[in-house]
Amino acid sequence: MWEIRRFLRKNLPPGVVPCSQVQLGNAHQEAPGSYRFREAGASRSGLQSGNFVTRTIGFGLLTAMVAIALVACHSEQTAIAPITDSAQAKEPPITLRFSGWQSNPNEKKLLEQLIKEFETQNPSIDVKYEVINSEYMDVIKTRLIGDVAPDVFYLDVFEAPLLMKYGVLEPLDSYMTPEFNLADFEPSLLNAFKYNGKLYGLPKDFSTLALFYNTDSFAAAGLTQPPKTWDEFLTASKVLTIDQNKDGKIDQYGFGVAPELARQVFMIKAFGGELLDSNGYAVFASPNSLKGLELVIDQYRRDRSAAQPSDVGTTWGSEMLGQGKAAMVIEGLWAIPYFKETFPNLAFATAEVPTVNDKPGTMAFTVAYVMNRKSTHKQAAWKFIAYLTGKSGMKAWAKQGLALPTRQSVLAELGYDRDPLYAPFVNGASYATIWQAGENLPTIRTNFNNQFVSALLGEQSLADAMKKAQDTANREIYLAN
Amino acid sequence: MNLLIQRLWRKQATRDALAGYLFMTPTLVVAGIFLVLPVIYAVVLSFYKVRLLGDVNYQWVGLKNFVRIVNDERVWIALKNTVDYAVIVVPTQTILALALALLLNSQIRGKNGFRVVFFLPAVTSSAVLTLIFMWIYNSNGLLNSMLSFLKLPTYNWLGDPAVALKGIMIMNIWSTAPLFMVIYLAALQEIPESLYEAATLDGANRWEKFLHVTLPFLKPVTFFVVVMGMIGTFQLFDQSYIFSAGSGGPNNSTLTIVLLIYQYAFKNLDMGYALALTLVLAMVLMVATLVQRRLFREESLD
């Protein structure tokens, strides 16, 4: 589509507004409901495959739209040409390509509004927004290799080390101005996008994990307040695990567990365990990290008060809570708009993740805007990034409540710390573990997830499973380097 | 020199050959650029460590990639899964296809209707099929409801490593058998009626006719079906990808060779190693095909 557009622009006589801008834009409006929660690597199969279909349908639509647009253009050319103001067309605007994923239809709407505003402020820049919904990082990496990557794109903190190391991103330090006020950003989030002392990305928003609980279930079980410690949490889970019709099949589990590394790193750290050693090799099978993980396994296997999403026919934790299959889940901020849209009658509240070993802990996920090193419009790209992450841009973005703003001033101004639903997420930021651990984390994650599930299902002991995962991951890291 | 060319040109055969190659040029060029060159390139690159992102560089590593395959536990798991899968799926789908073809070749009512219904799965996109099956396999889905209605044990088809691959097997058999059924159906209609008449005169019963007339006649088709089925099963990717969201889990139970290649190539950007794995897969397929050819040829001698 991009090609066609460029072709049209090049080949149109001066004074003709390429009408493809209007028509083609619509082709991107993909079917709603393709939720994607990349932050946590939580995209389970159902979500992913939803995108698969959307994409297939989308592609068909796209082809049709291009065809229509081309035909429409043809007839419109002659009609518009005489009216168009010739002064405007002398200097064709710079086209800035921008890519991201979309976790919510509202997110896209809002972003498009922001882009439109940016374009009015900067008439010489034309932002072309492309949504990549399925396998975002694979697509971006492939496009970077093929030199067709967008000028500005989203980058998950989890994948950042690899791209920063390979030098495909433009360092942003030289563009920084005093009025941009970099010091306003949450330092730990900023640090996640630094490599060898250079800053490669500006975090656009973040979310931590918090405990979501069904207040109706709590009331029915006689619980008045959310659990504060992990022991309380385990006791509450048992009380909340109910077989209503006594058919031997549990109807409501206490807790919906996500057996993924992205959600469990803080459990590894709770008793002093670590994910990596200083050389970047995995060490999560140490006795201290097993102590934390054992709590998760025991709850699932011994107490039987927790279930995985697929055990109860759902695709992710929030769906379990929404459908009443679990009374508690630990999820990110992104679940709030999801509940409000998909389960409007659900009575839920949030609390901080219960303390393990008397220490508070949770995970933090963030996404940054980064600039392609090979971009040909770096100044324009910076202008765009600065606009989106600037104080007013971020405020407009964060107001929707899909994620928290990374600028401390905006966070304070929007008052999320006073909103009972959002406060646990804000409080979590001070002790959260950022979901990032060097460029080998994808390998470590694959192996951990693979074996942790196996231990959860009781195929092998946790110690054996983690040892196996750690050894396989380390061998792969060793051989790949 | 000139004389030689003139003499050659005068020869009818040379002129024919030249014209022939001239006509084939477009195909040769296209196949050369898009097929032969990439294959050669892939073979060469499998001896390199390739870095594509950022500054592209190639580093000769000799047989290191292949040595790594031998020591890579996940390759063996993937290979085992793929072989398990092929061993169950290929015979089942072949027999099912033959049975369906025989059924539809007989004089039953509404034959055409059945043909359409049976063939529908083969023309549906595998991505769509997988999605539909994921609904059927859901813990509270159709299959488990039916099983519990019949008082049979239910499974977490998507989450339990013990049954995840079996779920994909069932789905694949269901969707591929019809395609091979059509091939069998075409072959069945080629068998001359006179052979059956002669067999009847010799006192053969139905089963004997099937065993001694139909089956030998279908041998070349069966070879084709088995080879294609084998290649198809070894290249299993989309179903297990959608099932496991690309991880090959739970506990590597849906990890197939092609999925592993995808993970190394696009998740880890380790092109050299991924290409070495691709070569190994090609080798395995070639050997499997040769073995089958030998088997089928030997039988056709007697």
Side-chain angles (χ1 to χ4, degrees):
Chain A
M1 195 151 96
W2 151 247
E3 299 304 331
I4 292 171
R5 215 170 125 182
R6 199 163 53 181
F7 169 79
L8 282 174
R9 177 164 296 132
K10 248 190 232 160
N11 292 280
L12 288 175
V16 177
V17 174
C19 70
S20 56
Q21 262 167 26
V22 191
Q23 275 94 354
L24 292 181
N26 297 336
H28 254 305
Q29 230 126 47
E30 295 198 34
S34 50
Y35 280 91
R36 182 169 169 83
F37 297 89
R38 272 194 47 90
E39 287 81 347
S43 37
R44 293 301 304 168
S45 30
L47 300 173
Q48 294 254 320
S49 37
N51 292 332
F52 214 101
V53 177
T54 318
R55 204 174 54 176
T56 320
I57 298 168
F59 190 72
L61 275 175
L62 198 108
T63 320
M65 292 303 258
V66 169
I68 292 166
L70 282 177
V71 173
C73 262
H74 194 74
S75 54
E76 251 174 76
Q77 264 182 37
T78 41
I80 292 178
I83 316 163
T84 318
D85 175 17
S86 60
Q88 200 185 21
K90 257 178 199 146
E91 209 162 295
I94 296 168
T95 304
L96 197 65
R97 293 174 61 214
F98 165 53
S99 281
W101 61 82
Q102 173 203 340
S103 60
N104 185 304
N106 290 341
E107 179 181 339
K108 188 182 153 93
K109 230 182 282 164
L110 191 77
L111 199 52
E112 271 168 356
Q113 255 171 40
L114 283 172
I115 290 171
K116 203 171 270 171
E117 208 171 292
F118 174 75
E119 283 172 337
T120 3
Q121 282 176 23
N122 301 277
S124 61
I125 304 172
D126 172 23
V127 179
K128 172 107 179 58
Y129 175 39
E130 297 164 352
V131 178
I132 303 170
N133 257 337
S134 199
E135 294 305 330
Y136 177 81
M137 271 322 288
D138 292 0
V139 175
I140 285 290
K141 279 186 213 160
T142 317
R143 290 191 182 168
L144 281 168
I145 290 168
D147 278 350
V148 288
D151 301 298
V152 177
F153 53 93
Y154 281 17
L155 180 62
D156 193 306
V157 65
F158 155 75
E159 300 270 6
L162 184 88
L163 292 198
M164 294 193 292
K165 184 189 167 194
Y166 279 10
V168 290
L169 304 179
E170 175 79 4
L172 301 175
D173 306 82
S174 58
Y175 300 91
M176 216 56 77
T177 53
E179 56 267 31
F180 183 71
N181 193 8
L182 189 66
D184 191 15
F185 280 83
E186 170 68 37
S188 59
L189 297 175
L190 217 48
N191 279 338
F193 294 97
K194 275 185 187 159
Y195 185 79
N196 283 345
K198 283 187 183 142
L199 180 69
Y200 288 91
L202 285 170
K204 69 184 185 80
D205 54 21
F206 77 102
S207 173
T208 55
L209 295 180
L211 183 76
F212 282 80
Y213 60 97
N214 185 326
T215 43
D216 290 343
S217 307
F218 264 57
L223 296 166
T224 48
Q225 55 170 341
K228 293 268 187 299
T229 68
W230 203 260
D231 286 336
E232 283 177 37
F233 167 77
L234 292 178
T235 320
S237 296
K238 280 186 217 163
V239 180
L240 290 163
T241 302
I242 302 167
D243 177 9
Q244 249 137 9
N245 47 10
K246 304 276 179 253
D247 62 349
K249 233 177 121 186
I250 290 165
D251 301 301
Q252 176 189 283
Y253 282 92
F255 179 55
V257 64
E260 291 164 20
L261 187 59
R263 305 299 182 91
Q264 302 296 347
V265 179
F266 76 96
M267 290 304 276
I268 289 176
K269 294 198 165 173
F271 292 89
E274 281 298 330
L275 188 58
L276 296 182
D277 65 7
S278 51
N279 298 322
Y281 284 101
V283 289
F284 56 73
S286 73
N288 280 342
S289 43
L290 291 183
K291 243 190 230 172
L293 295 172
E294 197 84 62
L295 292 174
V296 181
I297 302 279
D298 280 351
Q299 188 191 9
Y300 186 88
R301 295 207 57 73
R302 205 185 50 212
D303 298 358
R304 304 221 166 257
S305 60
Q308 294 183 71
S310 74
D311 291 338
V312 293
T314 54
T315 47
W316 62 303
S318 300
E319 201 181 349
M320 292 177 81
L321 189 76
Q323 291 189 3
K325 303 262 169 65
M328 294 185 283
V329 291
I330 293 179
E331 281 288 346
L333 205 66
W334 50 81
I336 295 177
Y338 169 76
F339 287 138
K340 286 186 174 160
E341 282 158 27
T342 318
F343 301 101
N345 298 324
L346 179 76
F348 69 97
T350 59
E352 286 178 58
V353 174
T355 56
V356 189
N357 191 23
D358 293 329
K359 272 194 300 191
T362 185
M363 301 297 298
F365 306 96
T366 179
V367 174
Y369 291 114
V370 295
M371 197 196 298
N372 182 356
R373 177 165 265 175
K374 291 200 172 144
S375 163
T376 44
H377 310 294
K378 286 181 181 159
Q379 281 306 331
W382 167 252
K383 247 188 201 169
F384 185 53
I385 294 178
Y387 166 78
L388 289 171
T389 55
K391 217 173 154 180
S392 63
M394 188 174 285
K395 205 170 123 191
W397 172 249
K399 253 197 300 208
Q400 63 168 341
L402 197 70
L404 297 170
T406 45
R407 278 181 182 270
Q408 287 157 342
S409 62
V410 180
L411 188 62
E413 198 182 325
L414 290 177
Y416 278 130
D417 51 338
R418 292 184 297 277
D419 182 327
L421 214 48
Y422 287 87
F425 296 96
V426 180
N427 296 342
S430 59
Y431 52 80
T433 307
I434 294 180
W435 173 229
Q436 185 189 49
E439 81 251 22
N440 292 318
L441 189 53
T443 307
I444 294 169
R445 177 178 74 157
T446 309
N447 286 295
F448 178 93
N449 290 355
N450 229 323
Q451 297 298 334
F452 191 65
V453 173
S454 154
L456 195 71
L457 296 172
E459 290 186 326
Q460 50 187 325
S461 75
L462 178 68
D464 287 349
M466 290 297 101
K467 184 87 182 59
K468 209 158 120 195
Q470 179 180 306
D471 290 348
T472 316
N474 285 344
R475 197 170 49 237
E476 273 179 41
I477 293 168
Y478 174 75
L479 287 170
N481 291 321
Chain B
M1 188 65 194
N2 244 343
L3 209 70
L4 189 77
I5 292 172
Q6 267 180 11
R7 195 175 297 159
L8 273 175
W9 183 244
R10 238 172 266 144
K11 264 194 180 167
Q12 182 69 30
T14 326
R15 276 208 306 252
D16 283 354
L18 198 71
Y21 281 116
L22 217 66
F23 275 117
M24 274 161 63
T25 312
T27 318
L28 286 179
V29 169
V30 171
I33 293 174
F34 293 106
L35 199 76
V36 180
L37 269 183
V39 169
I40 295 171
Y41 198 45
V43 173
V44 172
L45 280 190
S46 64
F47 294 94
Y48 283 85
K49 185 179 166 68
V50 187
R51 191 181 133 175
L52 289 174
L53 198 59
D55 306 319
V56 180
N57 72 52
Y58 304 95
Q59 185 192 337
W60 172 263
V61 291
L63 288 173
K64 225 169 132 191
N65 284 333
F66 294 93
V67 174
R68 187 175 160 191
I69 290 178
V70 179
N71 295 322
D72 190 341
E73 189 194 18
R74 285 178 18 107
V75 172
W76 296 106
I77 295 172
L79 204 60
K80 187 186 161 291
N81 283 343
T82 314
V83 170
D84 279 357
Y85 182 78
V87 163
I88 295 180
V89 170
V90 173
T92 318
Q93 76 186 13
T94 310
I95 293 169
L96 187 66
L98 182 59
L100 285 175
L102 287 171
L103 214 67
L104 290 187
N105 200 38
S106 61
Q107 303 305 320
I108 52 164
R109 224 173 243 281
K111 206 162 57 177
N112 286 334
F114 279 116
R115 281 183 190 176
V116 170
V117 170
F118 283 143
F119 194 61
L120 269 180
V123 293
T124 315
S125 137
S126 73
V128 175
L129 277 186
T130 313
L131 287 177
I132 295 172
F133 264 79
M134 281 181 69
W135 279 107
I136 297 176
Y137 285 148
N138 187 308
S139 302
N140 302 322
L142 190 66
L143 186 62
N144 272 353
S145 307
M146 263 160 60
L147 286 176
S148 67
F149 181 73
L150 299 170
K151 302 271 180 262
L152 290 168
T154 59
Y155 297 98
N156 178 0
W157 292 93
L158 304 172
D160 188 348
V163 290
L165 193 65
K166 302 210 169 55
I168 300 181
M169 284 177 187
I170 295 172
M171 178 173 74
N172 214 36
I173 291 168
W174 181 77
S175 66
T176 347
L179 182 71
F180 294 134
M181 173 198 81
V182 172
I183 296 169
Y184 269 127
L185 205 55
L188 279 174
Q189 281 160 4
E190 289 290 300
I191 303 175
E193 201 53 40
S194 55
L195 285 180
Y196 288 109
E197 281 167 23
T200 318
L201 286 179
D202 286 341
N205 62 22
R206 271 188 166 185
W207 174 245
E208 282 165 338
K209 273 193 273 185
F210 169 72
L211 216 59
H212 298 290
V213 179
T214 315
L215 270 192
F217 240 92
L218 292 179
K219 193 161 281 171
V221 178
T222 308
F223 174 66
F224 173 78
V225 167
V226 171
V227 169
M228 293 315 283
M230 200 71 150
I231 293 173
T233 50
F234 265 86
Q235 291 182 342
L236 174 69
F237 172 74
D238 42 1
Q239 284 100 337
S240 59
Y241 175 86
I242 298 175
F243 246 66
S244 67
S247 76
N251 193 16
N252 290 328
S253 61
T254 56
L255 188 69
T256 63
I257 297 189
V258 185
L259 186 58
L260 193 67
I261 292 171
Y262 166 82
Q263 286 184 356
Y264 279 121
F266 295 101
K267 297 271 177 228
N268 300 11
L269 287 180
D270 205 342
M271 283 296 166
Y273 186 51
L275 285 169
L277 275 174
T278 318
L279 275 193
V280 170
L281 175 64
M283 287 305 206
V284 170
L285 280 178
M286 267 185 223
V287 170
T289 311
L290 283 178
V291 168
Q292 286 169 48
R293 234 177 103 170
R294 179 59 57 83
L295 282 176
F296 277 84
R297 190 178 289 162
E298 263 176 11
E299 278 175 32
S300 63
L301 280 176
D302 48 76

